[in-house]
Amino acid sequence: MANDTPALTLGVALRRYLDARNAALVAARASLGITDIDARALLFVVGNPGTRPTALREYLGITSAGVTTLIDRLVSRSLVRRDVDPTDRRVNRITATVDMGEDPWSALNRFDDDFDVAVDAADQVMVENSTALLAALTAATVGTRH
């Protein structure tokens, strides 16, 4: 009887990590009743408080009209707020109004937080070597095909 499980290679391990992380995010988004783009936008705003809509648009790769609609939707759900920039009143700054460290919003970061705990508990030399290897392989891969 043949073994249908692929050999564990670095690529397979990374795909398993991504599959597990994506499954956790899908479950978190479903429990929160938000879309993928809403979650990505919210996580970006949390990580970049006071961000400009242009930065969010560039990060998400959407149109100006799309980011306006997205921000309107997040504001209407009280997930973010728009603040006028005090030095340039033509500019809006977007800030999250939810605490990602508290339930239910912590569900969006739970997988990453749990992974970080596991990393902290692991052999730190192995972690440093793995980090360096992954960074080098990613850099060698990005932009190799046009």
Side-chain angles (χ1 to χ4, degrees), residues 47-112:
N48 301 277
T51 195
R52 294 176 66 162
T54 303
L56 182 58
R57 177 184 59 78
E58 290 169 355
Y59 172 73
L60 295 172
I62 60 178
T63 65
S64 294
V67 81
T68 298
T69 301
L70 170 63
I71 293 169
D72 287 346
R73 184 169 59 246
L74 296 177
V75 166
S76 73
R77 293 199 56 201
S78 300
L79 303 178
V80 301
R81 71 172 189 264
R82 282 188 185 96
D83 298 312
V84 175
D85 187 310
T87 60
D88 185 349
R89 302 206 43 84
R90 298 170 296 172
V91 174
N92 284 308
R93 300 286 179 171
I94 310 303
T95 303
T97 58
V98 295
D99 184 348
M100 298 302 280
E102 298 292 325
D103 284 334
W105 300 102
S106 61
L108 287 173
N109 288 325
R110 191 160 296 130
F111 181 89
D112 292 340

Side-chain angles (χ1 to χ4, degrees), residues 13-27:
L14 287 171
R15 283 186 286 283
R16 287 181 183 172
Y17 165 84
L18 289 173
D19 288 346
R21 185 174 189 271
N22 286 336
L25 286 171
V26 166

